[in-house]
Amino acid sequence: MTESKSITEQHSCDILIIGAGAAGLSLALKLAPHAKVNVLSKGKLSEGSTFYAQGGVAAVFSDTDSIDSHVEDTLIAGAGLCDEEAVRFTVSNAKESMQWLIDTGVDFDTELDADGNTQFHLTREGGHSHRRILHAADATGKEIEDTLLGAVKKHKNITLMEGFNAIDLITSRKLNLPANRVLGAYVWNRTAERVETINAHFVTLATGGASKVYQYTSNPDVSSGDGIALAWRSGCRIANMEFNQFHPTCLFHADAKNFLLTEALRGEGAHLLRPDGTRFMPDFDERGELAPRDIVARAIDYEMKRLGADCMYLDISHKPKEFIIKHFPTIYRRCLLLGIDIAHQPMPIVPAAHYTCGGVMIDHHGQTDIDGLYAIGEVTYTGLHGANRMASNSLLECIVYAHASAKDIINRLPFYQTRKLATIPAWDDSRVENSDEEVVIQHNWHELRLFMWDYVGIVRTDKRLERALRRVQMLQQEIDEYYSNFKVGNNLLELRNLVQVAELIIRSAMLRKESRGLHYNLDYPEQLDNPKPTILCPQND
């Protein structure tokens, strides 16, 4: 880019972390004693997916449980596509990572054992053969996010930048310099409404998933696939994007946007019911309500379509009221405000897009294909989740890989801290103007999310995928033209990223000629004998 006439605000740091959830904040805390860290948060610091995570974190804390059992359960849930080495790496580091959270101040629920000693209250969720879920009532994510954020705010080496969108990564290749190393990022200051630059020796993507690409999602509005799109445009490989997990139980109510009903409800005995009050999960799987999420979501989707029903129901009213209020206080209060007393009546539910199982390819250190660029958390493909994420393995992955990335970056830091940061050209917006057609963005936004839900949702066909690809390519052309002619803004940046991620999801789904885990194609209902990850390479496009 040529230099703009206007002066661009420039920031510099040793490590730029894009994303302020469990992964990003954990990494910041581990790096802060060694370096200057800037943490970018697109929205409010409490808006990420971590804050809304209810269930908990899976780790072996019981004497009757084992790492081998946790590994085996994860491999089974992943439907033959997990990387066993990545699974064992994550599970083996789970207890140490959770102990770090506890030492940092996270207050997981406890109970007294038979001898009157205090121990962690471990719950069970779908796919797990043992009780191994550490939790803080039904608001685990909030407890983790609040604790980490409190610790981060006290550290002088960490600068929190709230209200900044990452526009694009700056790499040496983009500046026609040797090799392909990350140098920083262009970012959009939402408050000042201007583009700024951040120079850094290392950049980490911790931006979360892309479930906002679907019409119905349990995720907050910030889950727009930014990190995946940033990495792809910079030259990173992306894997397994066809596997988007639909959480089976999102509350179906006009005033309950995105409200998730944790899987721990079913772990504690809640039943899934048809509108007539009969159970249906035993008809689909011998594990009933504790079957993996892909099976439960498809069963609910099937029953809704078969019966022409708007929703199914989740019922825990057969449990004592005191038990319900103690274990699920947030859900109890929220439902009561909506006129639903879950101690006496079932909750209306529908599946909703929940978790992105694919993403940016990384190694066990969190390194991507670009030197100096790391990625951790839901934005990544590690091989842990395979074709379906097992409940409560996601927050675990965030912490384990944050620690692994921190170790690698700390080892490499001394060399780079003796070198000057690269000079980054200022952003040039001298040839663009303010848009007078914001309605175009809104229309494209709604069209994208609707056809992704209809054509690339829980059940797919080749014809649906072909239709979706044609539509996304048309949208890409419109958005690229819009991006070239008008000044950037939050809605345009998110839409640009979502359309890119939608294309990656569709192309990945078209390449998988089987049905496995979260990808179910009516034209290929069987499973292949030797499944492989779906890997997309930008340099081959």
Side-chain angles (χ1 to χ4, degrees):
M1 284 189 181
T2 59
E3 189 161 338
S4 161
K5 295 177 182 178
S6 61
I7 298 173
T8 302
E9 181 77 17
Q10 296 196 358
H11 311 267
S12 62
C13 57
D14 292 311
I15 302 105
L16 168 63
I17 300 172
I18 304 174
L25 295 181
S26 295
L27 177 61
L29 285 171
K30 297 291 282 188
L31 290 172
H34 308 273
K36 182 183 177 184
V37 182
N38 281 27
V39 179
L40 213 68
S41 176
K42 183 166 63 174
K44 292 181 180 179
L45 289 164
S46 60
E47 276 188 1
S49 293
T50 296
F51 187 83
Y52 295 97
Q54 296 175 351
V57 193
V60 175
F61 270 77
S62 170
D63 293 339
T64 61
D65 197 3
S66 68
I67 287 175
D68 286 341
S69 176
H70 190 174
V71 168
E72 183 180 3
D73 290 345
T74 302
L75 293 175
I76 291 171
L81 259 189
C82 293
D83 180 324
E84 187 168 353
E85 185 180 348
V87 174
R88 190 164 290 280
F89 171 78
T90 307
V91 171
S92 298
N93 285 284
K95 189 170 184 179
E96 179 184 348
S97 296
M98 291 309 97
Q99 189 59 54
W100 177 80
L101 280 181
I102 294 162
D103 294 341
T104 304
V106 174
D107 188 16
F108 291 118
D109 284 4
T110 58
E111 62 182 357
L112 297 178
D113 63 16
D115 299 321
N117 299 314
T118 300
Q119 62 182 14
F120 289 111
H121 178 269
L122 303 174
T123 191
R124 184 181 171 194
E125 296 182 347
H128 291 274
S129 58
H130 292 77
R131 285 181 170 267
R132 62 168 70 100
I133 314 301
L134 290 159
H135 64 101
D138 58 350
T140 309
K142 182 180 185 301
E143 170 66 19
I144 292 173
E145 181 77 5
D146 287 347
T147 302
L148 293 177
L149 193 54
V152 161
K153 287 180 175 178
K154 295 176 184 176
H155 212 294
K156 63 180 182 180
N157 270 359
I158 302 175
T159 300
L160 290 169
M161 300 178 67
E162 193 173 24
F164 284 80
N165 293 58
I167 300 173
D168 268 317
L169 299 174
I170 304 163
T171 63
S172 51
R173 179 176 293 174
K174 289 180 181 179
L175 300 182
N176 296 316
L177 298 173
N180 192 27
R181 178 171 175 80
V182 71
L183 306 174
Y186 289 112
V187 301
W188 170 251
N189 183 329
R190 295 170 68 168
T191 303
E193 296 190 341
R194 68 187 180 199
V195 177
E196 302 178 5
T197 63
I198 304 178
N199 300 54
H201 292 303
F202 298 92
V203 176
T204 297
L205 300 171
T207 53
S211 287
K212 196 179 175 183
V213 77
Y214 286 102
Q215 182 79 357
Y216 303 107
T217 174
S218 65
N219 283 203
D221 286 343
V222 294
S223 300
S224 51
D226 300 335
I228 296 170
L230 289 167
W232 175 259
R233 288 197 294 267
S234 298
C236 292
R237 291 171 298 160
I238 306 294
N240 276 17
M241 288 301 294
E242 69 270 35
F243 299 114
N244 196 287
Q245 187 174 75
F246 291 81
H247 196 287
T249 54
C250 207
L251 188 63
F252 181 69
H253 193 285
D255 298 325
K257 179 186 177 184
N258 303 347
F259 190 67
L260 190 70
L261 297 171
T262 174
E263 192 158 339
L265 281 160
R266 284 175 282 135
E268 296 296 343
H271 296 151
L272 283 163
L273 308 177
R274 300 181 180 94
D276 65 2
T278 59
R279 288 179 68 192
F280 58 88
M281 276 313 303
D283 298 340
F284 290 88
D285 194 283
E286 62 183 11
R287 290 165 289 188
E289 281 79 5
L290 289 178
R293 289 178 175 176
D294 59 320
I295 295 172
V296 179
R298 277 200 303 275
I300 295 170
D301 183 68
Y302 177 86
E303 288 294 311
M304 286 172 59
K305 290 175 178 174
R306 182 179 72 85
L307 297 172
D310 291 331
C311 63
M312 291 289 114
Y313 293 86
L314 183 66
D315 186 22
I316 198 169
S317 63
H318 51 278
K319 291 285 187 178
K321 183 174 182 177
E322 295 76 15
F323 175 90
I324 295 171
I325 294 174
K326 177 183 177 182
H327 289 284
F328 307 106
T330 306
I331 292 172
Y332 179 80
R333 287 193 300 269
R334 182 66 184 276
C335 287
L336 207 58
L337 288 173
L338 298 170
I340 304 167
D341 185 349
I342 69 172
H344 296 99
Q345 63 191 113
M347 297 159 272
I349 55 96
V350 291
H354 182 57
Y355 191 86
T356 308
C357 289
V360 184
M361 293 189 71
I362 60 170
D363 63 15
H364 290 339
H365 304 295
Q367 290 192 74
T368 69
D369 294 330
I370 296 174
D371 186 27
L373 179 64
Y374 291 71
I376 50 177
E378 190 179 353
V379 70
T380 67
Y381 164 79
T382 62
L384 171 65
H385 306 305
N388 183 25
R389 176 181 72 96
M390 189 167 69
S392 291
N393 270 351
S394 54
L395 286 172
L396 172 62
E397 183 182 44
C398 289
I399 311 304
V400 168
Y401 278 85
H403 290 186
S405 294
K407 289 178 183 177
D408 199 61
I409 292 171
I410 290 167
N411 285 337
R412 301 181 66 192
L413 261 174
F415 172 77
Y416 287 97
Q417 286 176 320
T418 60
R419 299 164 68 93
K420 286 183 62 177
L421 289 163
T423 301
I424 295 176
W427 181 262
D428 181 7
D429 59 2
S430 60
R431 290 183 291 275
V432 298
E433 58 187 358
N434 290 319
S435 169
D436 58 357
E437 291 288 344
E438 188 72 17
V439 68
V440 174
I441 295 178
Q442 296 303 321
H443 181 274
N444 288 350
W445 188 285
H446 293 307
E447 181 183 351
L448 171 69
R449 298 180 72 198
L450 185 59
F451 75 64
M452 285 296 291
W453 181 264
D454 288 341
Y455 298 151
V456 201
I458 295 173
V459 177
R460 303 160 179 175
T461 66
D462 281 356
K463 185 174 288 186
R464 292 175 190 172
L465 294 173
E466 289 164 4
R467 287 173 177 164
L469 185 61
R470 286 197 298 271
R471 280 161 173 75
V472 86
Q473 288 171 339
M474 290 174 62
L475 283 181
Q476 280 180 316
Q477 186 175 350
E478 286 186 22
I479 293 162
D480 286 346
E481 182 179 341
Y482 198 96
Y483 182 78
S484 300
N485 291 294
F486 298 107
K487 291 185 178 180
V488 299
N490 179 61
N491 288 342
L492 175 58
L493 292 171
E494 288 192 336
L495 179 61
R496 177 182 179 231
N497 290 336
L498 276 176
V499 169
Q500 180 59 77
V501 170
E503 185 206 3
L504 297 174
I505 293 172
I506 296 163
R507 287 175 54 192
S508 298
M510 294 177 81
L511 288 171
R512 187 161 293 283
K513 306 299 184 183
E514 63 166 349
S515 288
R516 182 178 298 276
L518 302 167
H519 172 77
Y520 192 81
N521 190 327
L522 291 173
D523 294 317
Y524 305 97
E526 304 301 322
Q527 291 190 351
L528 297 176
D529 291 334
N530 296 300
K532 303 291 183 185
T534 304
I535 300 174
L536 301 179
C537 303
Q539 61 266 32
N540 294 334
D541 288 7

